[in-house]
Amino acid sequence: MRWIKRLCSLLFFCLVIAAGIIGFQGYRDYREALEGKSVEQMAYEIESQENYTSIDELPQTYVDAVLAVEDKRFYSHPGIDPIAIGRALVNDIKAGAYVEGGSTITQQLAKNQYFTQDKKIVRKVAEMFMAFKIESVLDKDKIFELYVNSIFFGNGYYCVADASAGYFGKTPAEMNFDECTLLAGVPNAPTNYNPVASPELARQRQAQVLEKMEKAGYLDKTETENTAVAE
């Protein structure tokens, strides 16, 4: 029994050392990224782009749909969501692979603006540090704005205004319920859920968006059942 206890102690010690090394490397990568571009500069670069859309110009349905599918606790967490991370960890362990990341909208903004798209744990730690920094500098509405104005919507569209104009021939403010809930599902997998390239998959994703909106409290069951989704 003694050797088992010693082995467990050794394994625990190794895990602590490994966690410390990963944390240090992640923090180092975060500091290097921040030195290359401040949060204020990042925000300015996105805001200066043509067709930048403020949150006041977005339909509430679209905002609700994005929050429901991407980060339903966005307005209550400090940049990372421990509940989502825990759920993702369980699902990853069950799948035996990295299938879910548990990233918040703030983390996704950090990843897209500062880091590569690889799924290494050190990058994930750096992304978390950057998410905390972004939240300390910008308010929630601004973070949401920057996110929807800099993500890929497929078909060559990299902001909500371009996607709305390209897919529907409208400004974001003019989108109806159907268009809002359709567009909100696209960034999860733009190639697959692109309504031009894959209209059927886009509609299937839209059904998931509606289900998540209901679960998050943005729609009641009657509204969901009565919502006519164009085929």
Side-chain angles (χ1 to χ4, degrees), residues 30 32-34 36-47 49 52 105-117 123 127 130-131 134 138 142-143 145-152 158-159:
Y30 149 70
E32 288 179 357
L34 193 62
K37 180 167 61 177
S38 69
V39 171
E40 292 87 350
Q41 183 181 351
M42 176 271 292
Y44 175 77
E45 288 176 359
I46 297 174
E47 289 176 314
Q49 294 174 2
Y52 182 86
I105 284 175
T106 315
Q107 285 176 262
Q108 292 180 58
L109 177 64
K111 175 184 67 177
N112 293 337
Q113 298 302 312
Y114 287 98
F115 305 109
T116 64
Q117 299 298 309
R123 194 274 294 162
E127 173 190 298
M130 188 64 75
I134 290 172
L138 306 173
K142 179 58 64 178
I143 293 170
E145 279 182 15
L146 297 174
Y147 172 72
V148 298
N149 279 281
S150 61
I151 52 175
F152 184 48
Y158 285 88
C159 69

Side-chain angles (χ1 to χ4, degrees), residues 48-226:
S48 299
Q49 294 174 2
E50 189 177 2
N51 293 335
Y52 182 86
T53 305
S54 71
I55 196 168
D56 294 333
E57 299 173 282
L58 295 171
Q60 189 61 45
T61 298
Y62 176 72
V63 175
D64 292 345
V66 172
L67 293 174
V69 295
E70 297 294 344
D71 188 359
K72 66 181 180 181
R73 285 177 287 273
F74 173 67
Y75 280 96
S76 61
H77 64 61
I80 66 171
D81 184 350
I83 296 175
I85 292 173
R87 182 195 65 236
L89 181 60
V90 170
N91 291 337
D92 290 346
I93 292 173
K94 286 181 178 179
Y98 188 100
V99 296
E100 185 177 345
S103 292
T104 64
I105 284 175
T106 315
Q107 285 176 262
Q108 292 180 58
L109 177 64
K111 175 184 67 177
N112 293 337
Q113 298 302 312
Y114 287 98
F115 305 109
T116 64
Q117 299 298 309
D118 66 64
K119 296 179 178 180
K120 294 179 180 178
I121 189 170
V122 171
R123 194 274 294 162
K124 195 72 176 178
V125 171
E127 173 190 298
M128 290 180 180
F129 279 119
M130 188 64 75
F132 284 128
K133 179 63 177 180
I134 290 172
E135 293 262 353
S136 73
V137 175
L138 306 173
D139 64 40
K140 291 286 189 176
D141 285 352
K142 179 58 64 178
I143 293 170
F144 186 93
E145 279 182 15
L146 297 174
Y147 172 72
V148 298
N149 279 281
S150 61
I151 52 175
F152 184 48
F153 288 88
N155 209 39
Y157 306 132
Y158 285 88
C159 69
V160 62
D162 288 349
S164 177
Y167 291 132
F168 313 125
K170 298 180 177 181
T171 65
E174 296 170 329
M175 290 192 296
N176 59 32
F177 182 93
D178 179 62
E179 292 158 347
C180 285
T181 54
L182 182 66
L183 191 61
V186 174
N188 180 257
T191 300
N192 294 332
Y193 300 140
N194 176 340
V196 170
S198 309
E200 188 173 332
L201 287 177
R203 289 300 179 183
Q204 290 176 14
R205 174 60 175 167
Q206 183 183 35
Q208 296 174 357
V209 172
L210 293 171
E211 182 180 355
K212 287 180 178 291
M213 289 180 73
E214 181 188 333
K215 288 181 178 179
Y218 294 117
L219 297 175
D220 61 37
K221 191 172 182 61
T222 302
E223 286 179 296
T224 305
E225 291 175 346
N226 292 339

